[in-house]
Amino acid sequence: MTTTTNSAAGNSGLARAVPRLSVLATILESARQTLVMLRYRRILWVAPIGLLLLFALAFVLAGTARSRSDGAHLYSVFAWWGLATVVMPWATLFLGVQAVHGELEDRTSQYLFLRPVHRVPLFLGKWLAIAAVSSALACCSAAALYVAVASREDLWPDGREPWLLVSFCIVLGLGATAYSAVAVFLAATFRRPLAWAAFFVVGLQMLAANLPVSAGLRQLTITDPLRRMTLDLIEPSRRLARALWPAERNEALSIENGTGAFLLEFGSPLCSLLILVVVCLTLGCWQYARTEYESRNRD
């Protein structure tokens, strides 16, 4: 009996001796471990191969469109419809789901939950890591696409326009940050997060953002704020604007003095994205902190 008491006292003293990380330190450590796990799972190994394939495909397609489009038009269409609406959302959602749901399905998260740290900083650290990785991959994809189109000199009669690359890197980076918040929220909430991610991207994003619905409903998506931000940054011509936003009514858009500057009558796209990120992270933190997870089926 005495031995048990002394042992318990020793264990409690040892627990008190273990230093607890601060919230910021826990977030950074969680982000670091998430990056390590992504490398360990070999998820990012396909990224260089994907970039090479993207470059090759864009280079070939740019060679077949010399008589129909200039380089700026072609790059903008490729970057928006290829990267911003397909590659970046799906890659970000997949990485985010794997970072959170992968630990829940193989029960390695139980080890983390037993440590003397709160779950909320762990969750935020995972989101931070996925947002950083996805933004970096999106910018690398935009750069590979730009190099491929810029290699066709005859498409740029007035010279290349590197500011297009900068503009799309900004848009894709913000989009990856928003999609990563959605991904970790879905992974912490549902047993089939990839199925819900497909519903979110295809069922909600594409329909609400590309159909002639109300501006208030489009603001609830990620695609619509990103497109409005893109139009504001690149100042497209009327032809390019219609290519990027074919479903929008002409009276809702205004072109000034032939420069292609859009006058948008509804709120800030950056504010819309910020609200969505805060809501997803708040709900995700609440769900991740209160749920007693069991082993999940592999998604």
Side-chain angles (χ1 to χ4, degrees):
M1 186 67 179
T2 305
T3 303
T4 303
T5 304
N6 292 337
S7 177
N11 290 335
S12 63
L14 180 62
R16 288 193 299 267
V18 175
R20 294 176 63 93
L21 294 176
S22 64
V23 173
L24 180 59
T26 303
I27 292 175
L28 295 179
E29 179 61 22
S30 176
R32 186 191 70 82
Q33 293 183 10
T34 302
L35 295 176
V36 172
M37 290 304 297
L38 288 177
R39 185 181 63 180
Y40 173 76
R41 294 174 184 267
R42 302 181 180 181
I43 296 175
L44 300 179
W45 284 31
V46 299
I49 300 176
L51 292 176
L52 290 176
L53 292 177
L54 178 65
F55 173 84
L57 180 62
F59 185 80
V60 172
L61 292 178
T64 62
R66 295 178 181 177
S67 61
R68 298 188 296 272
S69 302
D70 59 6
H73 180 99
L74 201 63
Y75 174 73
S76 298
V77 170
F78 284 172
W80 174 252
W81 291 110
L83 297 182
T85 63
V86 179
V87 176
M88 181 269 293
W90 284 110
T92 304
L93 289 170
F94 177 78
L95 291 176
V97 167
Q98 289 299 313
V100 177
H101 183 76
E103 293 182 350
L104 297 177
E105 68 182 6
D106 60 16
R107 306 194 70 175
T108 56
S109 60
Q110 300 299 322
Y111 172 78
L112 295 176
F113 294 162
L114 294 175
R115 309 305 296 169
V117 293
H118 199 273
R119 293 188 186 184
V120 171
L122 293 177
F123 183 82
L124 293 178
K126 295 178 185 298
W127 166 73
L128 181 63
I130 297 302
V133 171
S134 301
S135 299
L137 290 177
C139 291
C140 291
S141 300
L145 190 62
Y146 180 81
V147 172
V149 178
S151 300
R152 303 289 187 177
E153 296 183 3
D154 52 334
L155 294 176
W156 308 84
D158 299 327
R160 298 176 178 84
E161 302 176 11
W163 58 269
L164 284 174
L165 173 60
V166 177
S167 299
F168 275 101
C169 284
I170 295 173
V171 171
L172 294 174
L174 292 174
T177 303
Y179 277 110
S180 62
V182 174
V184 294
F185 162 69
L186 295 177
T189 305
F190 300 104
R191 296 186 67 90
R192 298 285 184 179
L194 285 181
W196 283 95
F199 171 75
F200 176 77
V201 173
V202 178
L204 295 181
Q205 292 285 293
M206 294 298 101
L207 293 180
N210 292 301
L211 291 180
V213 297
S214 65
L217 182 59
R218 289 202 303 262
Q219 281 183 309
L220 300 178
T221 68
I222 299 176
T223 302
D224 185 71
L226 290 182
R227 177 161 44 199
R228 288 186 284 136
M229 191 179 302
T230 300
L231 296 176
D232 184 59
L233 288 174
I234 68 176
E235 297 184 352
S237 63
R238 183 181 296 272
R239 176 169 171 263
L240 178 56
R242 289 178 177 176
L244 298 181
W245 205 343
E248 179 62 8
R249 297 185 300 272
N250 292 331
E251 59 267 21
L253 303 174
S254 175
I255 308 293
E256 289 187 338
N257 301 324
T259 62
F262 275 81
L263 297 178
L264 299 170
E265 299 178 354
F266 30 89
S268 168
L270 186 60
C271 182
S272 299
L273 290 177
L274 180 61
I275 293 174
L276 187 142
V277 169
V278 171
V279 169
C280 287
L281 290 181
T282 301
L283 295 177
C285 287
W286 179 75
Q287 186 71 22
Y288 195 74
R290 65 181 291 271
T291 304
E292 293 300 327
Y293 294 103
E294 297 180 356
S295 180
R296 293 184 171 188
N297 296 327
R298 186 170 298 277
D299 197 352

